């Protein structure tokens, strides 16, 4: 089992796109595209917390904070991922915590994340990080936007 001795959890800044040049397999859904990484990190409303071991990203949590004309800022936790050899080793919770702490510093009053009802690992993680499951049922609509 890989060692967590050199584990580092941190929020990436605009100048940190090089950190995403070394990512363990299956952390993100797809390969990192450098131009998209730079664009993401340059956007002040996009946030990426990462877990790094020996200069390799092994986990992350991404989020977007947004404003409303009628309520305080919120954080949408978009994705959380941890490479398979590192899963269930306590990496997801501190990565989420760094993201939530940053949201608080930005004035966000709440954060939310969604997952599938049968994703027990995600549900356990979000609960252990202090999330409270909303019992309301939602219906999600997806819109294809073609060029």
């Amino acid at each position: 089992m890989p060692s967590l001795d050199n584990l580092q959890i941190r929020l990436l800044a605009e100048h940190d796109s090089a950190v995403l040049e070394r990512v363990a397999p299956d952390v993100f859904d797809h390969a990192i595209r450098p131009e998209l990484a730079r664009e993401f990190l340059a956007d002040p409303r996009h946030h990426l917390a990462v877990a790094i071991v020996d200069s390799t990203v092994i986990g992350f949590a991404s989020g977007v904070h947004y404003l409303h004309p009628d309520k305080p800022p919120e954080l949408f936790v978009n994705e959380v991922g941890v490479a398979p050899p590192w899963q269930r080793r306590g990496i997801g919770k501190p990565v989420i915590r760094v993201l939530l702490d940053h949201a608080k510093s930005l004035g966000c009053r709440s954060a939310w994340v969604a997952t599938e009802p049968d994703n027990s690992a995600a549900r356990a993680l979000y609960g252990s990080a202090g999330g409270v499951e909303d019992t309301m049922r939602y219906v999600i609509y997806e819109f294809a936007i073609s060029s």
Side-chain angles (χ1 to χ4, degrees):
M1 184 162 292
S3 171
L4 289 172
D5 291 341
N6 299 320
L7 178 65
Q8 181 185 112
I9 310 280
R10 69 185 189 95
L11 191 71
L12 296 186
E14 181 176 359
H15 64 277
D16 286 329
S17 63
V19 171
L20 298 174
E21 292 173 3
R22 291 192 58 186
V23 177
D26 300 320
V27 172
F28 290 90
D29 293 333
H30 306 286
I32 298 294
R33 293 177 43 193
E35 71 279 7
L36 295 178
R38 286 189 299 276
E39 183 177 354
F40 183 96
L41 294 174
D43 188 319
R45 297 214 178 163
H46 290 182
H47 312 287
L48 188 64
V50 294
I52 301 169
V53 171
D54 298 328
S55 302
T56 300
V57 174
I58 61 164
F60 81 98
S62 66
V64 178
H65 82 273
Y66 55 98
L67 304 173
H68 297 272
D70 64 334
K71 54 188 152 207
E74 295 181 313
L75 179 79
F76 165 57
V77 178
N78 184 44
E79 273 188 286
V80 178
V82 176
W86 304 93
Q87 291 174 356
R88 292 179 174 73
R89 298 190 58 201
I91 292 168
K93 186 175 175 180
V95 171
I96 290 172
R97 178 56 39 211
V98 164
L99 193 62
L100 294 176
D101 288 347
H102 183 61
K104 182 178 180 181
S105 77
L106 295 169
C108 294
R109 298 285 170 83
S110 64
W112 64 278
V113 64
T115 192
E116 298 81 7
D118 62 348
N119 189 339
S120 57
R123 292 174 71 181
L125 170 61
Y126 302 144
S128 74
V132 177
E133 188 170 327
D134 188 335
T135 58
M136 180 182 267
R137 294 286 179 203
Y138 295 92
V139 177
I140 297 173
Y141 291 86
E142 183 175 328
F143 297 90
I145 301 175
S146 302
S147 53

